[in-house]
């Protein structure tokens, strides 16, 4: 970031501001030359264009002439991208200037300003702000929110010693803004509690086994940088601050099963496992594949996935880690696409086969018919963190195919051990899939198959290696045997990830509707709180991760009450039935209302 005296854009040779046309004369090219040598191109409309009613289009405005007051009409010019108010006699800048939301350049140099409106901090499109040669001693802390600023001019102001010292340091303009942001008082109240949305009720006259599951990407410390989240005060990005809010959030919901992503190895050992043990949980963890190549100290900071469960409701039968790079090597090491695109990514999934205990029944005093008793039956829980890069939608989809394939292999063993069919085993697949509901990843999981011609597959469309991950004889599709419904859709949860540049649903809880009946979900984050407080993105002092947790409650359907799952819809058809599903709604079970 440059100070106003050293910027290469809009620079005035006398250091007074951004510069302005030397004269109103025009050369043959229709250019106005600025004092810094830059040119501003413009053209006067012809009489013919005016007669045709053609409208002018201009996005920059200069106001000069020892002006003391500005017309309120200026603040209605919301299309402006540059405003030059330098070399006037302004002693006050109205707060209405914040209505010019498209401004990237603002020059108020050489005026008589003693203070600035706090609303200036809401003009987050600003890249160049010149305040040179005014009478400013202090700056509003709200200026720290201008995280896009590249040039900040403060020369020639009687700045307070503290601000002046920071400004004249190396990279002082950037340090000033960080100082202001870090000292900005957070006056916003915490967001309101999220509502629980009931979808259907269990019959209280019957013993029903129920449990809740939570999925949460906690944003590990090494990814929570000021560069990545420049709109968040640095103290609110600090792990020591965020970790207490994350634990508080987990405690608030106290789900029976918790799946977490971006958990650092050392933080699992020293924070998550000890904290959750005090609440009656135990858990398992697996770091990303790169941990294998690192020394002991470096391994502490590798993030991975974790699963926790209430020990009074579940025992663990077995666990399994799916390393997608290893699966690629074993299954398709001769494929160039696999070698070049999938194998270098070290994403993983973690799977736990749990055994159900008596406490899943809320009312244990009721007599449970032997055929309806699910105690001792398995529950397969899987969590995954799929590759993040939008340019690698093919990698995301192939990793998801591997995930479904590996879960299916687990189900083969589970079904034999518990003497039930694979379709009767209740399965949860939770995680940060880094994919929107219109993606190939979501279509593949929810519909059970995807066409080989899907655009997300890119060069894999012609790659025979994908045949290793399908259970269909139809060579035009890649399919999996699981029947999965998403717990949430965009109507119920508009976003699970909210940052400056992106907001959308990318975290999911998928479940097998034949064996798990969805009873309710945790409702959306309050959009009114976000809008009213002008929240640019998460993390925020009240929101410790760039993701929000999602949560659902399920009833475990005894095998005697399960219905045969319907076949998948043909790919390309709109989803139907259960929320987020590519399958018709299952038959209403007798023990559910």
């Amino acid at each position: 970031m440059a100070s106003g005296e050293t910027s290469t854009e809009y620079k005035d040779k006398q250091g007074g501001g951004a510069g302005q046309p030397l004269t109103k004369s025009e050369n043959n090219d229709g250019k106005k030359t600025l004092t810094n040598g830059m040119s501003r191109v413009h053209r006067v409309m012809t009489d013919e264009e005016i007669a045709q009613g053609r409208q002018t289009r201009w996005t920059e405005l200069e106001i000069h002439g020892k002006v003391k007051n500005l017309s309120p009409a200026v603040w209605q010019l919301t299309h402006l991208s540059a405003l030059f108010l330098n070399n006037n006699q302004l002693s006050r800048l109205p707060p209405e200037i914040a209505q010019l939301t498209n401004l990237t350049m603002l020059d108020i140099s050489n005026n008589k300003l003693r203070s600035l409106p706090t609303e200036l901090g809401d003009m987050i499109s600003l890249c160049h702000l010149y305040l040179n040669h005014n009478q400013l001693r202090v700056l509003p802390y709200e200026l720290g929110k201008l995280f896009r600023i590249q040039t900040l001019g403060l020369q020639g102001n009687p700045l307070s010693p503290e601000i002046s010292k920071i400004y004249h340091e190396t990279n002082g303009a950037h340090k000033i803004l960080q100082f202001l942001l870090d000292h900005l008082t957070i006056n916003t109240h915490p967001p309101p509690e999220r509502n629980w949305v009931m979808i259907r009720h269990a019959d209280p006259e019957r013993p029903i086994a129920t449990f809740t599951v939570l999925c949460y990407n906690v944003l590990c410390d090494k990814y929570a940088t000021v560069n990545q989240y420049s709109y968040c005060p640095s103290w609110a990005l600090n792990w020591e601050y965020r970790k207490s809010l994350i634990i508080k959030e987990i405690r608030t919901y106290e789900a029976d099963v918790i799946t977490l992503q971006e958990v650092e190895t050392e933080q699992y050992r020293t924070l998550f496992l000890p904290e959750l043990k005090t609440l009656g949980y135990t858990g398992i963890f697996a770091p990303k594949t790169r941990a294998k190549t690192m020394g002991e100290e470096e391994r502490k900071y590798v993030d991975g996935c974790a699963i926790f469960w209430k020990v009074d409701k579940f025992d663990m039968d077995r666990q399994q880690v799916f390393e997608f790079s290893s699966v690629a090597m074993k299954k398709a090491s001769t494929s160039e696409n696999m070698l070049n695109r999938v194998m270098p990514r070290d994403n993983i999934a973690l799977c736990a086969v749990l055994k159900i205990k008596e406490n899943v029944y809320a009312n244990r005093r009721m007599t449970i018919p032997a055929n309806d008793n699910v105690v001792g039956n398995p529950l397969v829980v899987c969590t995954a963190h799929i590759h993040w890069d939008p340019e690698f939608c093919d990698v995301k989809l192939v990793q998801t195919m591997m995930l479904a394939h590996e879960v299916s292999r687990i189900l083969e063993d589970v079904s034999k051990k518990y003497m039930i069919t694979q379709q009767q085993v209740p399965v949860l697949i939770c995680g940060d899939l880094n994919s929107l509901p219109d993606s190939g990843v979501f279509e593949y999981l929810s519909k059970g198959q995807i066409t080989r011609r899907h655009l997300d597959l890119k060069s894999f469309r012609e790659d025979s290696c994908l045949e290793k991950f399908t259970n269909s004889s139809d060579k035009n599709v890649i399919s999996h045997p699981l029947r999965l419904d998403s717990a949430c859709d965009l109507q119920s949860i508009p976003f699970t990830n909210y940052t400056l540049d992106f907001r959308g649903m990318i975290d999911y809880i998928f479940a097998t509707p034949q064996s798990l009946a969805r009873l309710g979900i945790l409702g959306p984050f309050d959009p009114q709180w976000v809008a009213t407080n002008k929240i640019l993105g998460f993390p925020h002092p009240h929101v410790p991760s760039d993701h929000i947790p999602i949560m659902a409650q399920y009833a475990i359907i005894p095998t005697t009450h399960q219905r045969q799952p319907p076949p998948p819809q043909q790919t390309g058809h709109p989803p139907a039935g259960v929320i987020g599903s590519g399958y018709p709604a299952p038959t209403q079970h007798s023990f559910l209302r």
Side-chain angles (χ1 to χ4, degrees):
M1 181 186 296
S3 67
E5 293 289 303
T6 58
S7 170
T8 57
E9 290 191 37
Y10 298 112
K11 178 184 169 188
D12 181 86
K13 289 183 178 177
Q14 286 74 42
Q20 60 191 49
L22 295 174
T23 69
K24 292 185 179 180
S25 62
E26 300 169 11
N27 61 21
N28 295 332
D29 297 325
K31 292 182 178 180
K32 287 184 178 182
T33 304
L34 304 186
T35 52
N36 66 351
M38 295 183 67
S39 297
R40 185 178 303 146
V41 181
H42 73 286
R43 183 173 66 82
V44 177
M45 287 198 301
T46 64
D47 293 340
E48 182 180 354
E49 289 173 325
I50 295 173
Q52 292 172 352
R54 183 168 179 178
Q55 299 295 310
T56 60
R57 182 184 178 276
W58 46 276
T59 61
E60 300 186 2
L61 176 64
E62 302 162 5
I63 299 177
H64 307 296
K66 299 185 178 180
V67 176
K68 294 184 178 180
N69 294 291
L70 295 166
S71 167
V74 173
W75 318 128
Q76 307 305 313
L77 304 176
T78 55
H79 65 286
L80 290 178
S81 63
L83 178 60
F84 300 89
L85 301 174
N86 49 307
N87 297 313
N88 286 298
Q89 296 186 15
L90 298 173
S91 59
R92 175 179 176 270
L93 193 63
E96 288 79 11
I97 191 172
Q99 296 174 26
L100 304 181
T101 55
N102 291 308
L103 276 192
T104 60
M105 161 75 198
L106 177 61
D107 186 358
I108 330 172
S109 299
N110 287 305
N111 279 283
K112 298 181 178 181
L113 298 176
R114 292 180 179 274
S115 63
L116 298 171
T118 59
E119 288 80 2
L120 204 59
D122 294 330
M123 302 177 68
I124 60 172
S125 293
L126 277 177
C127 298
H128 307 281
L129 176 60
Y130 292 91
L131 302 168
N132 298 311
H133 301 289
N134 278 282
Q135 297 173 26
L136 299 171
R137 287 187 57 79
V138 295
L139 302 172
Y141 290 129
E142 284 76 8
L143 284 192
K145 296 190 290 184
L146 301 179
F147 56 89
R148 286 195 174 100
I149 288 289
Q150 300 170 25
T151 312
L152 177 62
L154 288 170
Q155 295 287 349
N157 283 286
L159 298 172
S160 68
E162 184 178 31
I163 293 178
S164 180
K165 180 178 181 296
I166 298 172
Y167 183 66
H168 288 97
E169 292 177 2
T170 303
N171 201 20
H174 173 78
K175 291 177 180 177
I176 280 267
L177 293 176
Q178 191 63 56
F179 171 84
L180 295 173
L181 182 61
D182 287 348
H183 287 78
L184 177 63
T185 302
I186 305 301
N187 294 318
T188 56
H189 294 290
E193 290 186 5
R194 293 163 64 184
N195 295 323
W196 186 259
V197 180
M198 288 302 299
I199 294 166
R200 50 187 171 185
H201 296 269
D203 187 344
E205 302 301 319
R206 297 178 63 96
I208 306 297
T210 63
F211 70 94
T212 52
V213 56
L214 180 135
C215 178
Y216 191 14
N217 180 323
V218 298
L219 180 61
C220 74
D221 185 35
K222 68 180 173 185
Y223 300 146
T225 64
V226 171
N227 286 338
Q228 183 68 27
Y229 304 104
S230 54
Y231 48 82
C232 183
S234 59
W235 56 265
L237 289 174
N238 186 284
W239 178 249
E240 291 303 310
Y241 174 82
R242 289 196 304 114
K243 72 180 185 182
S244 60
L245 291 184
I246 290 168
I247 294 296
K248 180 182 177 182
E249 186 122 45
I250 293 172
R251 281 176 173 267
T252 297
Y253 300 119
E254 208 167 327
D256 299 314
V257 177
I258 298 171
T259 64
L260 303 179
Q261 304 83 46
E262 283 195 27
V263 175
E264 281 190 1
T265 301
E266 186 70 359
Q267 293 303 315
Y268 170 78
R269 187 182 67 82
T270 62
L271 174 69
F272 288 100
L273 189 58
E275 285 284 344
L276 291 174
K277 273 190 173 181
T278 65
L279 298 176
Y281 293 90
T282 190
I284 57 174
F285 169 80
K288 288 180 176 175
T289 308
R290 76 175 83 114
K292 291 181 175 180
T293 65
M294 294 180 169
E296 183 178 349
E297 186 63 26
E298 291 175 304
R299 273 202 302 270
K300 293 179 180 179
Y301 306 104
V302 177
D303 65 292
C305 295
I307 301 174
F308 299 91
W309 58 89
K310 285 284 185 74
V311 295
D312 66 334
K313 293 190 176 181
F314 303 99
D315 283 326
M316 188 175 72
D317 183 349
R318 60 177 285 194
Q319 63 176 295
Q320 185 79 40
V321 179
F322 307 144
E323 296 181 330
F324 298 128
S325 58
S326 298
V327 176
M329 175 68 78
K330 291 176 184 176
K331 293 285 185 179
S333 59
T334 59
S335 165
E336 285 191 18
N337 289 319
M338 282 289 190
L339 289 170
N340 296 329
R341 294 186 68 78
V342 177
M343 285 181 57
R345 322 296 158 200
D346 66 346
N347 304 84
I348 64 152
L350 178 62
C351 185
V353 179
L354 303 180
K355 185 181 289 188
I356 299 167
K357 298 171 74 172
E358 269 190 11
N359 279 339
V360 294
Y361 288 97
N363 190 342
R364 285 181 291 153
R365 285 177 289 185
M366 289 185 179
T367 302
I368 307 172
N371 289 340
D372 292 352
N373 197 335
V374 299
V375 173
N377 287 1
L379 171 66
V380 176
V381 180
C382 187
T383 185
H385 193 183
I386 299 300
H387 186 59
W388 66 273
D389 194 337
E391 295 299 315
F392 287 77
C393 56
D394 55 335
V395 173
K396 299 172 196 269
L397 185 47
V398 172
Q399 286 182 342
T400 305
M401 290 175 177
M402 293 176 173
L403 173 62
H405 180 265
E406 293 302 307
V407 171
S408 299
R409 290 181 60 193
I410 292 281
L411 292 185
E412 291 178 10
D413 296 338
V414 171
S415 66
K416 290 176 183 176
K417 178 174 180 177
Y418 290 88
M419 294 182 289
I420 54 178
T421 68
Q422 293 182 43
Q423 288 74 26
Q424 290 174 325
V425 180
V427 178
L428 291 169
I429 295 180
C430 314
D432 176 0
L433 305 187
N434 275 309
S435 303
L436 291 165
D438 62 357
S439 65
V441 166
F442 187 90
E443 178 178 330
Y444 171 75
L445 286 176
S446 61
K447 293 184 177 178
Q449 61 182 31
I450 195 167
T451 174
R452 287 293 296 261
R453 299 184 299 277
H454 199 285
L455 294 179
D456 282 5
L457 284 171
K458 294 188 174 182
S459 55
F460 279 97
R461 279 178 281 178
E462 306 300 328
D463 198 323
S464 61
C465 73
L466 295 188
E467 293 171 9
K468 302 281 183 67
F469 304 105
T470 184
N471 70 327
S472 173
S473 57
D474 185 349
K475 294 189 178 297
N476 294 316
V477 299
I478 304 296
S479 65
H480 64 81
L482 305 174
R483 295 292 179 263
L484 299 169
D485 287 343
S486 173
C488 311
D489 67 1
L490 287 174
Q491 282 67 48
S492 54
I493 308 288
F495 64 83
T496 62
N497 180 244
Y498 191 100
T499 64
L500 177 71
D501 301 316
F502 174 85
R503 57 204 60 173
M505 179 187 285
I506 58 175
D507 303 89
Y508 300 92
I509 297 172
F510 281 95
T512 46
Q514 176 181 339
S515 49
L516 294 172
R518 188 182 53 146
L519 302 180
I521 60 169
L522 182 63
F525 200 95
D526 185 13
Q528 190 62 43
W529 182 84
V530 173
T532 301
N533 295 293
K534 300 177 181 177
I535 305 299
L536 301 177
F538 304 152
H540 176 274
H542 290 312
V543 185
S545 174
D546 55 341
H547 294 250
I548 61 171
I550 57 174
M551 182 175 172
Q553 183 185 34
Y554 290 97
I556 304 170
I557 305 171
T559 56
T560 52
H561 290 267
Q562 292 183 14
R563 307 287 185 265
Q564 186 68 25
Q569 285 188 353
Q570 291 300 309
T571 54
H573 290 199
V578 178
I579 285 182
S581 169
Y583 303 98
T587 305
Q588 184 69 39
H589 299 284
S590 60
F591 55 89
L592 296 174
R593 289 182 171 180

